[in-house]
Amino acid sequence: MIKTTIALLLAVAVLGVTGCNTIEGAGKDVQRAGEKVQSVVRDAKK
């Protein structure tokens, strides 16, 4: 649970730092962040 929370906070921070110029860019950023969160969750379950 803690790893998931950290991953989510990291994803939000990355999105905030990188920013995006378009809605399409925002969607891609959110998708990548979601993929990273899923990766962390899978690793935590192992």
Side-chain angles (χ1 to χ4, degrees), residues 10-29:
L10 180 61
V12 169
V14 168
L15 287 173
V17 170
T18 59
C20 57
N21 294 326
T22 65
I23 298 299
E24 181 180 359
K28 289 179 181 179
D29 289 344

Side-chain angles (χ1 to χ4, degrees), residues 27-44:
K28 289 179 181 179
D29 289 344
V30 170
Q31 181 179 4
R32 287 187 196 122
E35 290 168 356
K36 293 294 182 186
V37 170
Q38 287 178 342
S39 174
V40 169
V41 170
R42 281 190 207 113
D43 291 344

